[in-house]
Amino acid sequence: MSSNKKYWKSVEELDKNSSIVEALKNNEFVEEIPNDEFLGNSDALSSSSTSRRDFLKYVGFSTAAATLAACEGPVNKSIPYVLQPEQIIPGVADYYATSVFDGFDFANLLIKTREGRPIKIDNNTMAGAKFSGNARIHASILSLYDSMRLKEPKVEGKSAAWSVVDSKIKSSIADAAAKGGQVVLLTNTLASPSTEKLIAEFVGKNPNAKHVIYDAVSSSEALDAFETVYGERALVDYDFAKASLIVSVGADFLGDWQGGGYDSSYTQGRVPKAGKMSRHFQLEANMTLSGAAADKRLPMSTANQKLALVHIYNIVTGSAVTVSLEDKFKSEVTKAAQQLKAAGSKGVLVSGINDKNAQLLVLAINQALASEAFSTLGVRQIRKGSNAKVAQLVADMKAGSVHTLIMSGVNPVYTLADSASFVEGLKKVKTSVAFSLKEDETALLSTVAAAVPHYLESWNDVSFTKGTYGITQPTIRPLFNTKQFQDVLLSLNGLSGTFYDYIKGNAATTIAGSSWNKVLHDGVFVGVIPAVSAGSADYSAAASVLAQSKPVQGLELVLYTKTGLGDGQQANNPWLQEFPDPITRVSWDNYVTVSNADAKKYELSNEIVANGGLNGSYATITTADGLKLENVPVIVQPGQAVGTIGLALGYGRKAALKEEMMVGLNAYALYKGFNTVQSVTLAKAGGEHEFACVQGQKTLMGRGDIIKETSLEIFNTKDAHVWNEQPMVSLDHKEVEATKVDLWDSFDRSTGHHFNLSIDLNACTGCGACVIACHAENNVPVVGKSEVRRSRDMHWLRIDRYYSSESTFEGDNERKENIAGLSSSLSTFNEMEKAGDNPQVSFQPVMCQHCNHAPCETVCPVAATSHSRQGQNHMAYNRCVGTRYCANNCPYKVRRFNWFLYNKNSEFDYHMNDDLGRMVLNPDVNVRSRGVMEKCSMCIQMTQATILKAKNEGRPVVDGEFQTACSNACSNGAMKFGDVNDTEAVIAKLAADERMYHLLEHVGTKPNVIYHVKVRNT
């Protein structure tokens, strides 16, 4: 049967006596609408007698008058091509294949350009392009047009020519050789065969030089373990599609664990096929994307995770290492371990514990299983940093033995926990050079700040996994006076030519059997994928050491990276700052997450206030060394392990950021010894923090058929009408399905295209790539923290996150069915509404549902919203007068009213406020003026372009060609778009699937967005 669990979106909703929640449910616009801005003298107007017709005239005229200046088209002088480039056709997009790696994120991409301007990022779907873009990758197109970029090289803080920079670096290297000082190249992980070769040549030419690799968020322990066993510094590239049972011990592999990029293979096994799907156990402290997706989640501290890992090792390998695991965890961990052993080669275990011994046990367990998902073929090369070497470098700098320090792709002044020691050592370095995209914290303190181009302005090559090869190619000429780190290295090595020539020369042997032009066109090349030689280690000794793990004193702080900002490189990117975190739904902030039990213990709280905003306590975090992080905002997080707290890295930056982006606190200060787990104490501080949280807004009015879930057992053994229950209504005194009753005349959909968008709740991990892609494609404005707090966020697509009250489906049902009498009913329902310590989580993308019987269309007094023959619900912005009737009448709360002009407005100093930032705008979608409704258009510009392309080529549209920005960005397969009139199309089969349902089917809107019931393998 379908689940009747109570769903809630914020802890405040669980308080039956909260007047705030009730007010928000009944008010579409939680603040008083400033009518006087539109209607002039409100006092005079209220005393007058006006008809509805007169009211609409007032609204229509005054809104038009208020936005008249904004509606005037600017005069732009354009210069025509004397000789138009052959490859550029005005109005037609060009796509370039490229691959990107910034030391943290990596992907194989297609870059959409218009008239030579990169405007959007798509995933490369060519064979061999296995890594898709996450939210940060999709947002990186905006970072190209960042007005705060370093625009030219600087020496001692003053602008300088590149010849001066080259001369200074060369003379410093020569001086270091003469004086016996060290020359150190400090870079992020490069994953570039040509750059690594260049550096090797530089070190070979300069005996006093060495190369140190530094990853801001380290995977050094996993690298050390793999190197010990296999003799190579790399990471396993897991294939979760080959696993029927997944056990994760503290690894958020759907997040940024070891580089991320595992979503696609994971979701392949999570959609039930032939009655089967993979099973996922998650042991973790913080509530993560992986924990949200798991079938069974155990919240536990990292100390307990270490003991659990030893317990699993004992059961899988038959070892007998003595370990003491708490009884409350033992039965569930034993069950997971037994199922893992039974799964054999179809099982896999991963761990994010920052401990070499723990990572050795991961290798031992997967070797014992002969796991197919764990393969030493094509290992990952995107993390190679060494904690020990970085620590040694800082010691050498403080000792004064480093003469010349050349840095590229790193910002240690910001990201190192002991930043003060690095700064102290930096002052003793004779010449320091920072190759950087921004004049960041490190560049400001360096002798030379060398401006580098964005990856979309650069040449490079990459090898994310062993045996694969990709090319990074420029899609626009450099916007500023920049120079690549590699071109400077070429000069230092005494080599002529450009880095492009160098890459092309090196590629000849790598891409044997193909050609340079083909690889450049495809963006990727897959050669012979070698396996690393198998090895072993003293696993029993590692298990014995790990079994002695003790809980930390006080609270356990678990540091992590957020889906939006990651390691903080793109902190000046407003798309990412405004992106709501998938779990907390908070934007423009980092915060400490605490469990409900600990919140009560330390008297910390969250509350929703009268205007719909979320407020929270402040706390002070103190480490064992006495370091304090004061006034940290608090989020009470369901699912947080008791005795642990979480805090995100990547915030608190100040250098090279607009004032609006200087948000949050720098948690890297607590990242001591590159360990994400620290012993801390917590104390309540004074004051109250105002969050920009969207979770308490647009709540769908509490209607209960939003999320449909069931278990795999019920899915396999019961008819669809049991687990996908259809709402019933009375017709002629008989109960019939609500979808078969219609008060409207149906549209004729028999000819032409009819578009549907399918969303599979089993495949959606809440990653947010679709949200950012929608931003880029549709020129969605950024409104800032204060406006988000006022319920005025402009996202056309949101990902709602729901918690359930019970941990099992039948638990809710049995408890409800056993209610006896009114008093029992009241007490039982009140108890059921209390937040569980470990709730299940569901993600649900929601956009305009493009209803065939749309309630917004019937109430618009000026016919600004209308329906197309192809199933799309249109918005004619020029007709809209901003009555907002449509938003009030929309049961899905997906329409956005733009209260302000966000374009060329100094009050909203984001990318639309300067000429450089506006280069990212899509010319196929108009930039809206103030006072109109906005919403998802189902990317009509994309569907029409596809139709025109097919028409010009004299052929029908092929299934899969129709895309929206969100479906294109979704590499998990959660979003599928197409024409349901094509009976052979994938979307037509999905629309006929037994798991298909619509949101709020009883309302009778007949949407063109379809959902699929979530199935859990509990």
Side-chain angles (χ1 to χ4, degrees), residues 237-248 253-254 257 262-270 278 346 348-350 373-374:
D237 187 35
Y238 293 92
D239 186 353
F240 291 102
K242 295 179 179 177
S244 62
L245 187 79
I246 302 162
V247 177
S248 170
F253 58 88
L254 296 180
W257 174 76
Y262 292 113
D263 322 42
S264 181
S265 65
Y266 173 79
T267 54
Q268 286 179 44
R270 296 297 290 167
S278 62
K346 292 296 181 181
V348 66
L349 179 139
V350 294
F374 172 95

PDB file of all heavy atoms in Angstrom, residues 237-248 253-254 257 262-270 278 346 348-350 373-374:
ATOM      1  N   ASP A 237      38.204   4.219  -8.921  1.00  0.00           N
ATOM      2  CA  ASP A 237      37.045   4.799  -9.594  1.00  0.00           C
ATOM      3  C   ASP A 237      35.913   3.773  -9.514  1.00  0.00           C
ATOM      4  O   ASP A 237      35.773   2.909 -10.364  1.00  0.00           O
ATOM      5  CB  ASP A 237      37.383   5.126 -11.055  1.00  0.00           C
ATOM      6  CG  ASP A 237      36.267   5.881 -11.751  1.00  0.00           C
ATOM      7  OD1 ASP A 237      35.602   6.689 -11.082  1.00  0.00           O
ATOM      8  OD2 ASP A 237      36.052   5.654 -12.959  1.00  0.00           O
ATOM      9  N   TYR A 238      35.098   3.891  -8.475  1.00  0.00           N
ATOM     10  CA  TYR A 238      34.045   2.903  -8.203  1.00  0.00           C
ATOM     11  C   TYR A 238      32.946   2.982  -9.267  1.00  0.00           C
ATOM     12  O   TYR A 238      32.608   4.056  -9.756  1.00  0.00           O
ATOM     13  CB  TYR A 238      33.427   3.151  -6.835  1.00  0.00           C
ATOM     14  CG  TYR A 238      34.371   2.902  -5.680  1.00  0.00           C
ATOM     15  CD1 TYR A 238      35.148   3.936  -5.163  1.00  0.00           C
ATOM     16  CD2 TYR A 238      34.491   1.641  -5.106  1.00  0.00           C
ATOM     17  CE1 TYR A 238      36.012   3.721  -4.102  1.00  0.00           C
ATOM     18  CE2 TYR A 238      35.357   1.420  -4.040  1.00  0.00           C
ATOM     19  CZ  TYR A 238      36.119   2.455  -3.543  1.00  0.00           C
ATOM     20  OH  TYR A 238      36.975   2.236  -2.493  1.00  0.00           O
ATOM     21  N   ASP A 239      32.399   1.816  -9.606  1.00  0.00           N
ATOM     22  CA  ASP A 239      31.261   1.746 -10.529  1.00  0.00           C
ATOM     23  C   ASP A 239      30.072   1.161  -9.761  1.00  0.00           C
ATOM     24  O   ASP A 239      29.881  -0.044  -9.700  1.00  0.00           O
ATOM     25  CB  ASP A 239      31.601   0.872 -11.744  1.00  0.00           C
ATOM     26  CG  ASP A 239      30.497   0.892 -12.791  1.00  0.00           C
ATOM     27  OD1 ASP A 239      29.422   1.479 -12.517  1.00  0.00           O
ATOM     28  OD2 ASP A 239      30.691   0.318 -13.879  1.00  0.00           O
ATOM     29  N   PHE A 240      29.252   2.039  -9.183  1.00  0.00           N
ATOM     30  CA  PHE A 240      28.161   1.590  -8.325  1.00  0.00           C
ATOM     31  C   PHE A 240      27.048   0.905  -9.110  1.00  0.00           C
ATOM     32  O   PHE A 240      26.191   0.242  -8.513  1.00  0.00           O
ATOM     33  CB  PHE A 240      27.604   2.774  -7.532  1.00  0.00           C
ATOM     34  CG  PHE A 240      28.550   3.301  -6.485  1.00  0.00           C
ATOM     35  CD1 PHE A 240      29.285   4.464  -6.689  1.00  0.00           C
ATOM     36  CD2 PHE A 240      28.728   2.612  -5.306  1.00  0.00           C
ATOM     37  CE1 PHE A 240      30.152   4.933  -5.735  1.00  0.00           C
ATOM     38  CE2 PHE A 240      29.605   3.079  -4.330  1.00  0.00           C
ATOM     39  CZ  PHE A 240      30.328   4.242  -4.549  1.00  0.00           C
ATOM     40  N   ALA A 241      27.056   1.042 -10.431  1.00  0.00           N
ATOM     41  CA  ALA A 241      26.052   0.355 -11.244  1.00  0.00           C
ATOM     42  C   ALA A 241      26.224  -1.158 -11.158  1.00  0.00           C
ATOM     43  O   ALA A 241      25.279  -1.913 -11.413  1.00  0.00           O
ATOM     44  CB  ALA A 241      26.142   0.820 -12.697  1.00  0.00           C
ATOM     45  N   LYS A 242      27.422  -1.611 -10.796  1.00  0.00           N
ATOM     46  CA  LYS A 242      27.707  -3.045 -10.724  1.00  0.00           C
ATOM     47  C   LYS A 242      27.468  -3.625  -9.330  1.00  0.00           C
ATOM     48  O   LYS A 242      27.750  -4.794  -9.091  1.00  0.00           O
ATOM     49  CB  LYS A 242      29.154  -3.301 -11.142  1.00  0.00           C
ATOM     50  CG  LYS A 242      29.433  -2.957 -12.601  1.00  0.00           C
ATOM     51  CD  LYS A 242      30.891  -3.206 -12.971  1.00  0.00           C
ATOM     52  CE  LYS A 242      31.148  -2.886 -14.439  1.00  0.00           C
ATOM     53  NZ  LYS A 242      32.577  -3.047 -14.803  1.00  0.00           N
ATOM     54  N   ALA A 243      26.964  -2.791  -8.431  1.00  0.00           N
ATOM     55  CA  ALA A 243      26.772  -3.254  -7.051  1.00  0.00           C
ATOM     56  C   ALA A 243      25.296  -3.427  -6.746  1.00  0.00           C
ATOM     57  O   ALA A 243      24.477  -2.561  -7.051  1.00  0.00           O
ATOM     58  CB  ALA A 243      27.389  -2.257  -6.082  1.00  0.00           C
ATOM     59  N   SER A 244      24.951  -4.556  -6.131  1.00  0.00           N
ATOM     60  CA  SER A 244      23.577  -4.763  -5.660  1.00  0.00           C
ATOM     61  C   SER A 244      23.454  -4.380  -4.189  1.00  0.00           C
ATOM     62  O   SER A 244      22.360  -4.182  -3.685  1.00  0.00           O
ATOM     63  CB  SER A 244      23.162  -6.225  -5.840  1.00  0.00           C
ATOM     64  OG  SER A 244      23.984  -7.079  -5.060  1.00  0.00           O
ATOM     65  N   LEU A 245      24.597  -4.289  -3.488  1.00  0.00           N
ATOM     66  CA  LEU A 245      24.598  -3.852  -2.093  1.00  0.00           C
ATOM     67  C   LEU A 245      25.750  -2.869  -1.882  1.00  0.00           C
ATOM     68  O   LEU A 245      26.904  -3.162  -2.213  1.00  0.00           O
ATOM     69  CB  LEU A 245      24.760  -5.036  -1.138  1.00  0.00           C
ATOM     70  CG  LEU A 245      24.582  -4.628   0.329  1.00  0.00           C
ATOM     71  CD1 LEU A 245      23.098  -4.486   0.660  1.00  0.00           C
ATOM     72  CD2 LEU A 245      25.229  -5.604   1.282  1.00  0.00           C
ATOM     73  N   ILE A 246      25.424  -1.700  -1.354  1.00  0.00           N
ATOM     74  CA  ILE A 246      26.401  -0.637  -1.117  1.00  0.00           C
ATOM     75  C   ILE A 246      26.412  -0.309   0.362  1.00  0.00           C
ATOM     76  O   ILE A 246      25.366  -0.030   0.958  1.00  0.00           O
ATOM     77  CB  ILE A 246      26.044   0.635  -1.922  1.00  0.00           C
ATOM     78  CG1 ILE A 246      25.987   0.317  -3.425  1.00  0.00           C
ATOM     79  CG2 ILE A 246      27.032   1.757  -1.640  1.00  0.00           C
ATOM     80  CD1 ILE A 246      25.237   1.363  -4.235  1.00  0.00           C
ATOM     81  N   VAL A 247      27.595  -0.363   0.962  1.00  0.00           N
ATOM     82  CA  VAL A 247      27.753   0.054   2.353  1.00  0.00           C
ATOM     83  C   VAL A 247      28.736   1.220   2.370  1.00  0.00           C
ATOM     84  O   VAL A 247      29.872   1.084   1.905  1.00  0.00           O
ATOM     85  CB  VAL A 247      28.264  -1.090   3.252  1.00  0.00           C
ATOM     86  CG1 VAL A 247      28.475  -0.581   4.675  1.00  0.00           C
ATOM     87  CG2 VAL A 247      27.292  -2.261   3.247  1.00  0.00           C
ATOM     88  N   SER A 248      28.272   2.349   2.890  1.00  0.00           N
ATOM     89  CA  SER A 248      29.129   3.526   2.975  1.00  0.00           C
ATOM     90  C   SER A 248      29.333   3.883   4.434  1.00  0.00           C
ATOM     91  O   SER A 248      28.373   4.060   5.179  1.00  0.00           O
ATOM     92  CB  SER A 248      28.491   4.713   2.237  1.00  0.00           C
ATOM     93  OG  SER A 248      29.195   5.902   2.517  1.00  0.00           O
ATOM     94  N   PHE A 253      29.393   9.850  -1.129  1.00  0.00           N
ATOM     95  CA  PHE A 253      29.809   9.647  -2.522  1.00  0.00           C
ATOM     96  C   PHE A 253      28.851  10.289  -3.519  1.00  0.00           C
ATOM     97  O   PHE A 253      29.170  10.392  -4.711  1.00  0.00           O
ATOM     98  CB  PHE A 253      29.988   8.150  -2.835  1.00  0.00           C
ATOM     99  CG  PHE A 253      28.757   7.315  -2.595  1.00  0.00           C
ATOM    100  CD1 PHE A 253      27.809   7.151  -3.580  1.00  0.00           C
ATOM    101  CD2 PHE A 253      28.566   6.678  -1.372  1.00  0.00           C
ATOM    102  CE1 PHE A 253      26.675   6.377  -3.360  1.00  0.00           C
ATOM    103  CE2 PHE A 253      27.438   5.903  -1.141  1.00  0.00           C
ATOM    104  CZ  PHE A 253      26.487   5.750  -2.142  1.00  0.00           C
ATOM    105  N   LEU A 254      27.671  10.716  -3.075  1.00  0.00           N
ATOM    106  CA  LEU A 254      26.793  11.503  -3.945  1.00  0.00           C
ATOM    107  C   LEU A 254      27.092  12.989  -3.804  1.00  0.00           C
ATOM    108  O   LEU A 254      26.501  13.812  -4.499  1.00  0.00           O
ATOM    109  CB  LEU A 254      25.316  11.231  -3.614  1.00  0.00           C
ATOM    110  CG  LEU A 254      24.843   9.797  -3.859  1.00  0.00           C
ATOM    111  CD1 LEU A 254      23.374   9.654  -3.497  1.00  0.00           C
ATOM    112  CD2 LEU A 254      25.079   9.380  -5.304  1.00  0.00           C
ATOM    113  N   TRP A 257      32.815  13.459  -2.055  1.00  0.00           N
ATOM    114  CA  TRP A 257      33.789  12.477  -1.594  1.00  0.00           C
ATOM    115  C   TRP A 257      34.693  12.023  -2.744  1.00  0.00           C
ATOM    116  O   TRP A 257      34.227  11.599  -3.792  1.00  0.00           O
ATOM    117  CB  TRP A 257      33.054  11.275  -0.989  1.00  0.00           C
ATOM    118  CG  TRP A 257      33.935  10.128  -0.609  1.00  0.00           C
ATOM    119  CD1 TRP A 257      34.751  10.046   0.470  1.00  0.00           C
ATOM    120  CD2 TRP A 257      34.081   8.891  -1.315  1.00  0.00           C
ATOM    121  NE1 TRP A 257      35.400   8.832   0.496  1.00  0.00           N
ATOM    122  CE2 TRP A 257      35.013   8.106  -0.594  1.00  0.00           C
ATOM    123  CE3 TRP A 257      33.514   8.377  -2.490  1.00  0.00           C
ATOM    124  CZ2 TRP A 257      35.381   6.830  -1.001  1.00  0.00           C
ATOM    125  CZ3 TRP A 257      33.887   7.105  -2.902  1.00  0.00           C
ATOM    126  CH2 TRP A 257      34.810   6.346  -2.163  1.00  0.00           C
ATOM    127  N   TYR A 262      29.842  10.225  -8.874  1.00  0.00           N
ATOM    128  CA  TYR A 262      29.351   8.848  -8.799  1.00  0.00           C
ATOM    129  C   TYR A 262      27.835   8.746  -8.957  1.00  0.00           C
ATOM    130  O   TYR A 262      27.285   7.642  -8.948  1.00  0.00           O
ATOM    131  CB  TYR A 262      29.763   8.217  -7.466  1.00  0.00           C
ATOM    132  CG  TYR A 262      31.243   7.980  -7.320  1.00  0.00           C
ATOM    133  CD1 TYR A 262      31.993   8.686  -6.381  1.00  0.00           C
ATOM    134  CD2 TYR A 262      31.903   7.066  -8.118  1.00  0.00           C
ATOM    135  CE1 TYR A 262      33.362   8.466  -6.243  1.00  0.00           C
ATOM    136  CE2 TYR A 262      33.266   6.838  -7.990  1.00  0.00           C
ATOM    137  CZ  TYR A 262      33.992   7.543  -7.045  1.00  0.00           C
ATOM    138  OH  TYR A 262      35.331   7.316  -6.921  1.00  0.00           O
ATOM    139  N   ASP A 263      27.152   9.889  -9.076  1.00  0.00           N
ATOM    140  CA  ASP A 263      25.684   9.882  -9.115  1.00  0.00           C
ATOM    141  C   ASP A 263      25.123   8.994 -10.217  1.00  0.00           C
ATOM    142  O   ASP A 263      24.211   8.209 -10.000  1.00  0.00           O
ATOM    143  CB  ASP A 263      25.125  11.293  -9.340  1.00  0.00           C
ATOM    144  CG  ASP A 263      25.883  12.386  -8.629  1.00  0.00           C
ATOM    145  OD1 ASP A 263      27.117  12.333  -8.623  1.00  0.00           O
ATOM    146  OD2 ASP A 263      25.218  13.307  -8.130  1.00  0.00           O
ATOM    147  N   SER A 264      25.691   9.162 -11.405  1.00  0.00           N
ATOM    148  CA  SER A 264      25.125   8.485 -12.577  1.00  0.00           C
ATOM    149  C   SER A 264      25.162   6.969 -12.434  1.00  0.00           C
ATOM    150  O   SER A 264      24.170   6.284 -12.679  1.00  0.00           O
ATOM    151  CB  SER A 264      25.873   8.919 -13.837  1.00  0.00           C
ATOM    152  OG  SER A 264      25.337   8.303 -14.978  1.00  0.00           O
ATOM    153  N   SER A 265      26.314   6.425 -12.037  1.00  0.00           N
ATOM    154  CA  SER A 265      26.414   4.965 -11.904  1.00  0.00           C
ATOM    155  C   SER A 265      25.560   4.478 -10.729  1.00  0.00           C
ATOM    156  O   SER A 265      24.964   3.402 -10.794  1.00  0.00           O
ATOM    157  CB  SER A 265      27.873   4.532 -11.728  1.00  0.00           C
ATOM    158  OG  SER A 265      28.415   5.020 -10.509  1.00  0.00           O
ATOM    159  N   TYR A 266      25.470   5.258  -9.684  1.00  0.00           N
ATOM    160  CA  TYR A 266      24.662   4.882  -8.524  1.00  0.00           C
ATOM    161  C   TYR A 266      23.188   4.762  -8.884  1.00  0.00           C
ATOM    162  O   TYR A 266      22.531   3.777  -8.548  1.00  0.00           O
ATOM    163  CB  TYR A 266      24.858   5.918  -7.416  1.00  0.00           C
ATOM    164  CG  TYR A 266      23.948   5.749  -6.221  1.00  0.00           C
ATOM    165  CD1 TYR A 266      24.209   4.785  -5.248  1.00  0.00           C
ATOM    166  CD2 TYR A 266      22.826   6.554  -6.053  1.00  0.00           C
ATOM    167  CE1 TYR A 266      23.371   4.632  -4.138  1.00  0.00           C
ATOM    168  CE2 TYR A 266      21.991   6.413  -4.948  1.00  0.00           C
ATOM    169  CZ  TYR A 266      22.268   5.443  -4.002  1.00  0.00           C
ATOM    170  OH  TYR A 266      21.434   5.287  -2.917  1.00  0.00           O
ATOM    171  N   THR A 267      22.656   5.774  -9.573  1.00  0.00           N
ATOM    172  CA  THR A 267      21.218   5.781  -9.861  1.00  0.00           C
ATOM    173  C   THR A 267      20.813   4.717 -10.873  1.00  0.00           C
ATOM    174  O   THR A 267      19.639   4.349 -10.940  1.00  0.00           O
ATOM    175  CB  THR A 267      20.776   7.163 -10.371  1.00  0.00           C
ATOM    176  OG1 THR A 267      21.584   7.551 -11.496  1.00  0.00           O
ATOM    177  CG2 THR A 267      20.907   8.212  -9.282  1.00  0.00           C
ATOM    178  N   GLN A 268      21.762   4.188 -11.633  1.00  0.00           N
ATOM    179  CA  GLN A 268      21.430   3.103 -12.567  1.00  0.00           C
ATOM    180  C   GLN A 268      20.888   1.888 -11.828  1.00  0.00           C
ATOM    181  O   GLN A 268      20.046   1.155 -12.351  1.00  0.00           O
ATOM    182  CB  GLN A 268      22.672   2.706 -13.379  1.00  0.00           C
ATOM    183  CG  GLN A 268      23.057   3.715 -14.445  1.00  0.00           C
ATOM    184  CD  GLN A 268      24.306   3.290 -15.189  1.00  0.00           C
ATOM    185  OE1 GLN A 268      24.465   2.127 -15.572  1.00  0.00           O
ATOM    186  NE2 GLN A 268      25.220   4.228 -15.397  1.00  0.00           N
ATOM    187  N   GLY A 269      21.364   1.689 -10.616  1.00  0.00           N
ATOM    188  CA  GLY A 269      20.896   0.544  -9.837  1.00  0.00           C
ATOM    189  C   GLY A 269      19.775   0.876  -8.882  1.00  0.00           C
ATOM    190  O   GLY A 269      19.264  -0.011  -8.192  1.00  0.00           O
ATOM    191  N   ARG A 270      19.394   2.147  -8.824  1.00  0.00           N
ATOM    192  CA  ARG A 270      18.395   2.560  -7.835  1.00  0.00           C
ATOM    193  C   ARG A 270      16.977   2.623  -8.392  1.00  0.00           C
ATOM    194  O   ARG A 270      16.021   2.782  -7.639  1.00  0.00           O
ATOM    195  CB  ARG A 270      18.781   3.935  -7.259  1.00  0.00           C
ATOM    196  CG  ARG A 270      20.080   3.926  -6.501  1.00  0.00           C
ATOM    197  CD  ARG A 270      20.027   3.050  -5.279  1.00  0.00           C
ATOM    198  NE  ARG A 270      19.164   3.611  -4.237  1.00  0.00           N
ATOM    199  CZ  ARG A 270      18.746   2.951  -3.178  1.00  0.00           C
ATOM    200  NH1 ARG A 270      19.076   1.673  -3.006  1.00  0.00           N
ATOM    201  NH2 ARG A 270      17.975   3.538  -2.277  1.00  0.00           N
ATOM    202  N   SER A 278      19.286  -1.899  -6.222  1.00  0.00           N
ATOM    203  CA  SER A 278      20.376  -2.048  -5.261  1.00  0.00           C
ATOM    204  C   SER A 278      19.912  -1.626  -3.871  1.00  0.00           C
ATOM    205  O   SER A 278      18.911  -0.930  -3.710  1.00  0.00           O
ATOM    206  CB  SER A 278      21.582  -1.212  -5.692  1.00  0.00           C
ATOM    207  OG  SER A 278      21.253   0.159  -5.716  1.00  0.00           O
ATOM    208  N   LYS A 346      29.030  -8.657  -5.938  1.00  0.00           N
ATOM    209  CA  LYS A 346      28.031  -7.626  -6.202  1.00  0.00           C
ATOM    210  C   LYS A 346      27.913  -6.623  -5.042  1.00  0.00           C
ATOM    211  O   LYS A 346      27.044  -5.759  -5.062  1.00  0.00           O
ATOM    212  CB  LYS A 346      26.661  -8.254  -6.467  1.00  0.00           C
ATOM    213  CG  LYS A 346      26.581  -9.043  -7.773  1.00  0.00           C
ATOM    214  CD  LYS A 346      26.783  -8.132  -8.974  1.00  0.00           C
ATOM    215  CE  LYS A 346      26.681  -8.901 -10.282  1.00  0.00           C
ATOM    216  NZ  LYS A 346      26.911  -8.022 -11.452  1.00  0.00           N
ATOM    217  N   VAL A 348      29.895  -3.760  -2.369  1.00  0.00           N
ATOM    218  CA  VAL A 348      31.015  -2.819  -2.339  1.00  0.00           C
ATOM    219  C   VAL A 348      30.916  -1.997  -1.058  1.00  0.00           C
ATOM    220  O   VAL A 348      29.820  -1.718  -0.558  1.00  0.00           O
ATOM    221  CB  VAL A 348      31.018  -1.889  -3.574  1.00  0.00           C
ATOM    222  CG1 VAL A 348      29.809  -0.950  -3.574  1.00  0.00           C
ATOM    223  CG2 VAL A 348      32.308  -1.081  -3.664  1.00  0.00           C
ATOM    224  N   LEU A 349      32.078  -1.668  -0.495  1.00  0.00           N
ATOM    225  CA  LEU A 349      32.133  -0.818   0.682  1.00  0.00           C
ATOM    226  C   LEU A 349      33.041   0.370   0.397  1.00  0.00           C
ATOM    227  O   LEU A 349      34.118   0.217  -0.197  1.00  0.00           O
ATOM    228  CB  LEU A 349      32.651  -1.589   1.895  1.00  0.00           C
ATOM    229  CG  LEU A 349      32.765  -0.767   3.190  1.00  0.00           C
ATOM    230  CD1 LEU A 349      32.284  -1.575   4.389  1.00  0.00           C
ATOM    231  CD2 LEU A 349      34.204  -0.289   3.440  1.00  0.00           C
ATOM    232  N   VAL A 350      32.592   1.558   0.808  1.00  0.00           N
ATOM    233  CA  VAL A 350      33.405   2.772   0.667  1.00  0.00           C
ATOM    234  C   VAL A 350      33.431   3.488   2.003  1.00  0.00           C
ATOM    235  O   VAL A 350      32.530   3.313   2.841  1.00  0.00           O
ATOM    236  CB  VAL A 350      32.844   3.720  -0.423  1.00  0.00           C
ATOM    237  CG1 VAL A 350      32.963   3.081  -1.799  1.00  0.00           C
ATOM    238  CG2 VAL A 350      31.399   4.103  -0.136  1.00  0.00           C
ATOM    239  N   ALA A 373      32.377  -3.608  -8.430  1.00  0.00           N
ATOM    240  CA  ALA A 373      32.292  -2.148  -8.409  1.00  0.00           C
ATOM    241  C   ALA A 373      33.630  -1.520  -8.037  1.00  0.00           C
ATOM    242  O   ALA A 373      33.869  -0.348  -8.305  1.00  0.00           O
ATOM    243  CB  ALA A 373      31.217  -1.697  -7.424  1.00  0.00           C
ATOM    244  N   PHE A 374      34.497  -2.305  -7.399  1.00  0.00           N
ATOM    245  CA  PHE A 374      35.828  -1.853  -6.999  1.00  0.00           C
ATOM    246  C   PHE A 374      36.820  -2.400  -8.020  1.00  0.00           C
ATOM    247  O   PHE A 374      37.067  -3.595  -8.091  1.00  0.00           O
ATOM    248  CB  PHE A 374      36.146  -2.394  -5.598  1.00  0.00           C
ATOM    249  CG  PHE A 374      37.553  -2.163  -5.131  1.00  0.00           C
ATOM    250  CD1 PHE A 374      37.856  -1.070  -4.348  1.00  0.00           C
ATOM    251  CD2 PHE A 374      38.567  -3.057  -5.444  1.00  0.00           C
ATOM    252  CE1 PHE A 374      39.151  -0.870  -3.892  1.00  0.00           C
ATOM    253  CE2 PHE A 374      39.862  -2.864  -4.994  1.00  0.00           C
ATOM    254  CZ  PHE A 374      40.154  -1.760  -4.214  1.00  0.00           C
TER     255      PHE A 374
END
